[in-house]
């Protein structure tokens, strides 16, 4: 049974120019122990669709879906109290903006131990030990010393790693990671990706990885979903996607890797997709 | 072309006084004597491990924070903001695109106002001119004039990052310090922004100090590369030299860890997993 199942998700926002459709009928499922990567154009609704699952969109957002189920429970009708038990514990999310998801007025240690005490009922002492363990796992130097620092006293990548530590603190069954390694250099990115796959193998966690880095997709995903203007335009297992991409947009995405760049200008996906669409189909 | 340094750093040191009443005062030396030069019209890429001091350096170069010691010269002027406030024209010359586009945009200010404000403060343009310039700049970074009416929270991560870049460019700076400007962008937008940065450099002779951990981006844009580790410069030189023959162990590790997107590597990983 799918851990998370979504059918025909639609999200729209009222804007000055009228109702704007951000997500236009997305189907998605992820199983236990599976890694689903979501890639796609900036503004194509990747973050918005996952925030809809978490119930974290602003109140003016119009969210509709035919199915939205986590572990058999209907997230559309679930009472707020039951949702709070699931969200943050069984389902957690690494947000695209790690720095503003940390509370600037509390120390890193306090924020981590709060999560552990609240969701897992750990004692102060046990929570502190676990917090140090988590900071070590995400590669923060001097983890015990770091417990007393505030977010603004840390670098961008350190904040992002604290956010990751907090998202995996309660061994979630589903982790939604929205561009989790953008602020990290490749050596630490590798450590984080290894940590996530280790967790996923050990605990059977399902993982949804939103990323624009095709290298990260290649190194982590089982299945890949490509989104474009609020729609899913392609879905395939990772090997097929890279070896035989079906859509012009996907092909353009692979060709736009700066490492594939020839000459002095990078091909832009828009230009290439248009060009291809003109020729083929 | 005779080399013309627009930015010169000699032995820059930066200490943070952290800690609290409980833990006592604690000094973190985030920069331990950093020296480099940036020539006019050129791009210096700064790479290095998370926490090695890149953003700290960026804040000093853009006159947001003072150096603890060391010498900084921008466009021929000695700068030490702890001693003397830099003039307005000098400030305008150096703009920054922050690592975190969320925190750098005022949540209560519409995008259009964030852009025109820069012109209002720094030029004599009329309101209509300001609006036109803002709309044109939004288009150059791949957004539409319609985005001007939105608040930051109504934009996706990549859209916000492009607004931050547009805002920095509004006042026609001479030096742009970019702190991971494209790391949150998908490849199509990334290519568009990188092309834009190149075009502007050709048109206006802009100089870039470009912080990035993405080596393929660095290779595309940089003339010189500087590698930092724990507050120190451990390697620097022309791009091709650093890429062709990395000297420092950290630089080599960086190259080795870059994920590969080729099909053989994917096959190997899947085989390992099912084993
Ligand atoms: N509160 C809001 N009001 C109006 N429009 C919004 C709001 N939040 C998001 N949007 C719009 O919805 C669309 C989808 O946004 P989303 O954040 O999901 O994009 P994304 O695919 O995550 O892009 P990125 O890769 O840039 O992060 C965008 O066009 C964005 O401008
Ligand atoms: N306000 C502060 N008070 C105390 N320490 C700080 C402060 N700001 C940064 N630091 C520390 O200084 C060091 C350098 O931080 P900096 O933000 O310059 O790193 P960075 O190279 O930009 O890293 P990243 O790639 O993760 O963004 C880090 O160890 C950080 O914890
Ligand atoms: Mg997003
Ligand atoms: Mg930084």
């Amino acid at each position: 049974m799918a851990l998370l199942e979504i059918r025909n998700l639609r999200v729209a926002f009222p804007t000055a120019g009228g109702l704007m459709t951000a997500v236009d009928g997305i189907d998605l499922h992820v199983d236990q122990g599976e890694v689903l990567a979501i890639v796609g154009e900036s503004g194509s609704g990747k973050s918005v669709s996952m925030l809809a699952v978490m119930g974290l969109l602003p109140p003016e957002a119009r969210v509709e879906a035919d199915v939205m189920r986590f572990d058999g429970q209907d997230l559309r009708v679930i009472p707020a109290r039951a949702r709070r038990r699931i969200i943050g514990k069984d389902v957690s999310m690494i947000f695209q903006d790690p720095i503003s998801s940390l509370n600037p007025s509390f120390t890193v240690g306090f924020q981590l131990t709060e999560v552990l005490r609240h969701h897992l009922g750990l004692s102060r002492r046990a929570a502190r030990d676990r917090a140090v363990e988590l900071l070590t796992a995400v590669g923060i130097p001097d983890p015990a010393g770091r417990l007393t620092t505030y977010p603004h006293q840390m670098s961008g990548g350190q904040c992002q790693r604290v956010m990751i530590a907090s998202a995996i603190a309660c061994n979630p069954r589903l982790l939604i990671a929205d561009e989790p390694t953008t602020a990290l250099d490749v050596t630490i990115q590798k450590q984080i990706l290894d940590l996530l796959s280790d967790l996923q193998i050990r605990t059977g966690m399902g993982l949804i990885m939103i990323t624009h880095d095709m290298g990260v997709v290649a190194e982590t995903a089982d299945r890949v979903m490509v989104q474009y203007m609020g729609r899913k335009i392609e879905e395939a297992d990772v090997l097929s996607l890279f070896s035989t991409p079906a859509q012009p947009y996907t092909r353009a995405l692979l060709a736009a890797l700066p490492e594939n760049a020839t000459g002095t200008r990078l091909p832009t996906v828009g230009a290439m997709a248009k060009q291809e669409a003109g020729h083929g189909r | 072309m005779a080399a013309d340094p627009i930015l010169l750093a000699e032995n820059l040191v930066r200490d943070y006084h952290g800690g609290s009443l409980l833990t006592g005062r604690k000094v973190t030396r985030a920069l331990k004597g950093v020296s480099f030069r940036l020539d006019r019209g050129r791009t210096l890429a700064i790479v290095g491990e998370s926490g090695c001091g890149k953003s700290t350096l960026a804040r000093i170069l853009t006159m947001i924070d003072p150096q603890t010691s060391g010498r900084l010269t921008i466009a021929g002027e000695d700068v030490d903001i702890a001693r003397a406030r830099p003039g307005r024209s000098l400030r305008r010359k150096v703009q920054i695109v922050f690592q975190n586009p969320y925190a750098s945009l005022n949540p209560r200010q519409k995008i259009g106002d964030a852009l025109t404000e820069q012109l209002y403060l720094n030029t004599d343009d009329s309101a209509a001119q300001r609006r036109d310039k803002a709309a044109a700049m939004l288009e150059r970074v791949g957004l539409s004039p319609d985005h001007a009416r939105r608040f930051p929270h109504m934009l996706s991560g990549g859209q916000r990052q492009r607004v931050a870049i547009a805002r920095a460019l509004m006042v026609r700076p001479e030096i742009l310090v970019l702190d991971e400007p494209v790391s949150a962008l998908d490849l199509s937008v990334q290519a568009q922004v990188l092309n834009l940065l190149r075009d502007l450099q050709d048109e206006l002779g802009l100089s870039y100090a470009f912080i990035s951990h993405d080596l393929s981006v660095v290779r595309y844009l940089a003339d010189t590369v500087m590698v930092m580790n724990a507050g120190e410069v451990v390697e620097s030189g022309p791009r091709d030299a650093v890429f062709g023959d990395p000297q420092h162990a950290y630089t080599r590790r960086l190259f080795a860890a870059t994920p590969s997107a080729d099909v053989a590597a994917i096959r190997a990983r899947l085989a390992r997993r099912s084993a």
Side-chain angles (χ1 to χ4, degrees), chain A residues 46-48 96 178-179 210, chain B residues 102 156-158:
Chain A
K46 305 180 298 289
S47 300
V48 164
Q96 194 172 2
D178 194 353
E179 304 281 6
I210 301 175
Chain B
Y102 301 85
S156 79

Side-chain angles (χ1 to χ4, degrees), chain A residues 185-218:
Chain A
D185 66 283
V186 283
T187 56
I188 292 171
Q189 168 172 288
K190 186 158 184 349
Q191 181 178 354
I192 297 291
L193 295 179
D194 288 347
L195 172 71
L196 294 183
S197 22
D198 178 56
L199 199 67
Q200 181 244 329
I201 290 163
R202 215 158 28 83
T203 67
M205 176 179 85
L207 177 59
I208 297 178
M209 173 89 89
I210 301 175
T211 178
H212 65 267
D213 187 332
M214 295 308 274
V216 170
V217 175

Side-chain angles (χ1 to χ4, degrees), chain A residues 16 20 33 40-43 60 96-97 99-100 145 148 153 155-158 161 181-190 200 212 214-215 217-222 238-239 242-243 249 253 256-259 264-269, chain B residues 17-19 23 26 48-51 99-100 102 149-150 153-154 156-159 162 180 182-192 194-195 198-199 213 215-217 220 250 253-254 257-261 263 266-267 269-270 273:
Chain A
M20 209 265 327
E41 180 104 294
S42 173
E60 71 269 18
Q96 194 172 2
D97 58 337
I99 300 170
S100 19
T148 55
Q153 299 175 319
S155 78
Q158 288 164 347
R161 283 177 282 162
T181 57
T182 45
L184 304 177
D185 66 283
V186 283
T187 56
I188 292 171
Q189 168 172 288
K190 186 158 184 349
Q200 181 244 329
H212 65 267
M214 295 308 274
V217 175
E219 293 217 336
T220 56
D222 295 313
V238 61
L239 199 53
F242 278 85
S243 50
Y249 174 75
L253 210 53
L257 286 166
E259 67 201 40
T264 56
R265 285 186 76 80
L266 295 169
T268 60
V269 171
Chain B
H17 297 274
T23 57
K26 199 166 69 178
E49 195 158 44
S50 171
Q99 185 169 11
N100 175 13
Y102 301 85
R149 287 186 293 180
R150 298 211 196 162
H153 81 271
M154 299 172 166
S156 79
Q159 290 164 343
R162 281 176 277 166
E180 304 279 8
V182 296
S183 61
L185 301 179
D186 72 290
L187 289 174
S188 66
V189 178
Q190 188 171 312
Q192 196 181 352
L194 293 176
N195 287 336
R198 265 230 163 139
D199 292 347
H213 59 258
L215 293 176
S216 51
V217 170
Y220 175 72
Y250 173 71
R253 272 212 308 285
L254 213 53
T258 300
S260 166
V263 173
I266 300 175
R267 266 207 192 92
R269 171 176 70 87
L270 295 174
R273 248 188 94 171

Side-chain angles (χ1 to χ4, degrees), chain B residues 240-259:
Chain B
D240 290 341
V242 174
F243 272 81
D245 185 18
Q247 295 298 311
H248 195 267
Y250 173 71
T251 318
R252 294 206 196 109
R253 272 212 308 285
L254 213 53
F255 283 106
T258 300

Side-chain angles (χ1 to χ4, degrees), chain B residues 186-257:
Chain B
D186 72 290
L187 289 174
S188 66
V189 178
Q190 188 171 312
Q192 196 181 352
V193 169
L194 293 176
N195 287 336
L196 170 69
L197 291 175
R198 265 230 163 139
D199 292 347
L200 288 168
Q201 187 163 56
D202 293 345
E203 275 169 45
L204 309 169
L206 277 177
S207 315
Y208 298 136
F210 190 95
I211 297 171
S212 177
H213 59 258
D214 188 331
L215 293 176
S216 51
V217 170
V218 169
R219 185 193 290 255
Y220 175 72
L221 216 60
D223 297 303
T224 51
V225 178
M226 168 167 122
V227 184
M228 288 177 63
N229 194 17
E232 283 173 302
V233 178
V234 294
E235 178 161 6
S236 75
R239 175 197 58 191
D240 290 341
V242 174
F243 272 81
D245 185 18
Q247 295 298 311
H248 195 267
Y250 173 71
T251 318
R252 294 206 196 109
R253 272 212 308 285
L254 213 53
F255 283 106

